[in-house]
Every structure is written in C-alpha cells, then in structure tokens.
Amino acid sequence: MRFTRAIVRPPSRTFADGLTHANLGKPDLEKARVQHATYCSALEHCGLTLTFLDPDDKYPDSTFVEDPAVLTTHAAILTNPGAASRNGEVSGIASVVSKFYARVERVRAPGTLEGGDICQADDHFFIGLSQRTNPEGARQLAEILAAHGYTSSIIDIRNATTVLHLKTGMSYLGDGRVIAMEEIADDPAFAEYEVVRVPPAESYAANFLRINDHVIVAAGFPGVAAAVRGFGHEIIPLDMSEFRKMDGSLSCLSLRF
C-alpha cells in the first residue's frame, strides 16, 4: 500500500495538559514543536503531501490526530474515543476527511474506539481491545471493514500493563512481518506472520511508520533500527522525547492515506 497524503496538527499551547501515564516529566512545548516540524519534513521526504490543521488549545491531545479516525483505501471511519476528553476532536477531523472521502462511516456509542488501537497489515486489520477501545467498538469496526472487503482480528491488550494502544506495542513492517513488544508478541493473531520481538529496553520503538520506501523509527533504539535496516529498509530516525512524555508515538501524529 502506497501513501500519498497525511493529515497533521502541531501541538497546541495546552499540550502539557493532555492525558499521560508516562511519568517522564512535563514536555517542553517549543521542543515538541520543533520535533513535530521535523516529523512533518520526514513525511514529506517519504513522498506525502500534508494537510496541516491549526493547533487546538481546547483539546490538549489533539496533536495525536490518528485517534479520531481510521482511514482505508475505500472509506474513512470516524471513531468514538474511549477518553471522554477527546470526543470533541472527532467533528474537527470529520470535516477534513470528508474533503478526501466520499464514504465516511462512524463508530457509535456504546462502542468506543481509538485509531491507535488499529493496525493495518495489507488487507487485514488488527483491532486492539484496550482501555480506550471496547468490544462493541471493535465489533462495529470489524463489520464496517468487512463491508469494504477487509478482514480483521482482535488482540486483547487490556491486561498488558505497558501497552496503552495496540500500536504502542506493535507495528506492521510489510512483507508479512510484525515487530512487537515481548508482552504481546505471542498473540495468536500473529500466527501467520513473521514476528520480530522487541526487547523490553527498546519497547518504545515497537511503534514506527512504514511509509512507501522508508521506515521512520524513534531515535535512540539501535536494536530495532538494526532489525528494520536488516530487512533492506532505509530508516529515518526521529527524536520523540517530548511526545513520549505524553504517551505519544510516531504513528499517533498523522493520519496517512
């Protein structure tokens, strides 16, 4: 699957007020803005045309644009975030994705779902059950995906103590390869995939972005970088320190399609 576009939103002045369990200290807003700009440049280097949304002080977590929507080739699917403070972000994303998609679906209450719990692997989707995505939200998404010709499987991470969203703990590298944290690497949903295990010391780097001919990885994790490079991919390492403080990772900061 080749991507041509992405939606991004720089961090707002209220960024440090967002949800986090990282216990890594308060983020430096100016440094976060520099890191975000570098991230956007990396997306452009990978061949993407970016749509920039204005920072939104009303929603401190709104720089993590991946959570309010799931974008597929055939349809955009608006989510219903499990974090109540993020519900208002969906309408803003809806007005943007509707410019690019004729078909816009929606996950509705009592279902909850956040995009960080959804990982696409070619024509298959892994759906994570988490503290933010409940069984009803997963069921609705699976039904929508099936209507558009996709298959899906469920991965329950609710007892995984170090995994907030599914993509906190795994990413799809392509060519049938999944890179996953030890805590979820043995899940039956990965039975037909080659699983590359991420040691606990490098668990943050389990979240990366394969975009066309490049793989964007979090800087400072040489083991994961070497593994990805070993499969023949050109990597782009990026400093994610300020977003990590807010439970954020590489995939969270864009909606790619």
Side-chain angles (χ1 to χ4, degrees):
M1 178 179 180
R2 294 193 68 84
F3 297 101
T4 60
R5 293 182 175 273
I7 298 167
V8 294
R9 188 195 298 273
S12 71
R13 290 176 296 181
T14 59
F15 176 56
D17 297 328
L19 302 170
T20 181
H21 296 90
N23 295 317
L24 295 174
K26 186 176 180 178
D28 181 314
L29 178 57
E30 291 310 311
K31 187 174 181 180
R33 286 172 171 166
V34 170
Q35 290 178 353
H36 190 273
T38 303
Y39 174 89
C40 291
S41 295
L43 296 182
E44 291 175 328
H45 180 75
C46 294
L48 304 190
T49 299
L50 305 187
T51 297
F52 287 88
L53 307 184
D54 291 333
D56 191 341
D57 293 344
K58 187 176 180 181
Y59 298 105
D61 292 302
S62 58
T63 190
F64 302 123
V65 294
E66 183 179 59
D67 290 318
V70 176
L71 303 185
T72 76
T73 301
H74 305 297
I77 304 155
L78 301 175
T79 70
N80 184 31
S85 63
R86 303 200 61 187
N87 286 135
E89 296 175 34
V90 177
S91 60
I93 292 295
S95 64
V96 178
V97 300
S98 62
K99 297 176 182 178
F100 299 102
Y101 283 89
R103 188 70 179 269
V104 179
E105 310 272 11
R106 184 183 291 269
V107 171
R108 301 184 184 277
T112 64
L113 186 122
E114 294 189 4
D117 281 318
I118 314 305
C119 182
Q120 183 173 3
D122 301 320
D123 289 332
H124 185 79
F125 284 78
F126 297 111
I127 304 173
L129 293 183
S130 71
Q131 302 306 316
R132 305 284 186 85
T133 295
N134 68 15
E136 173 59 17
R139 185 199 66 77
Q140 289 183 36
L141 178 63
E143 187 175 89
I144 293 168
L145 291 171
H148 292 285
Y150 297 106
T151 58
S152 62
S153 54
I154 301 295
I155 300 177
D156 192 339
I157 62 168
R158 288 174 290 184
N159 292 322
T161 58
T162 61
V163 186
L164 172 65
H165 285 128
L166 176 62
K167 281 191 291 195
T168 304
M170 59 86 63
S171 300
Y172 183 60
L173 186 59
D175 305 309
R177 295 189 182 100
V178 167
I179 294 186
M181 290 170 49
E182 286 283 359
E183 197 165 2
I184 63 173
D186 292 322
D187 195 276
F190 300 142
E192 297 181 6
Y193 294 82
E194 177 184 353
V195 179
V196 180
R197 294 171 178 268
V198 177
E202 297 205 5
S203 60
Y204 181 73
N207 179 281
F208 58 79
L209 283 177
R210 166 77 188 273
I211 301 180
N212 303 332
D213 300 322
H214 299 79
V215 179
I216 303 176
V217 300
F221 302 94
V224 171
V228 172
R229 193 182 291 111
F231 289 116
H233 299 290
E234 180 179 342
I235 68 167
I236 302 174
L238 295 182
D239 183 1
M240 291 291 290
S241 63
E242 304 316 294
F243 296 99
R244 188 180 184 185
K245 292 174 182 177
M246 302 306 293
D247 289 338
S249 303
L250 286 160
S251 68
C252 311
L253 292 173
S254 61
L255 277 166
R256 303 150 307 276
F257 58 107

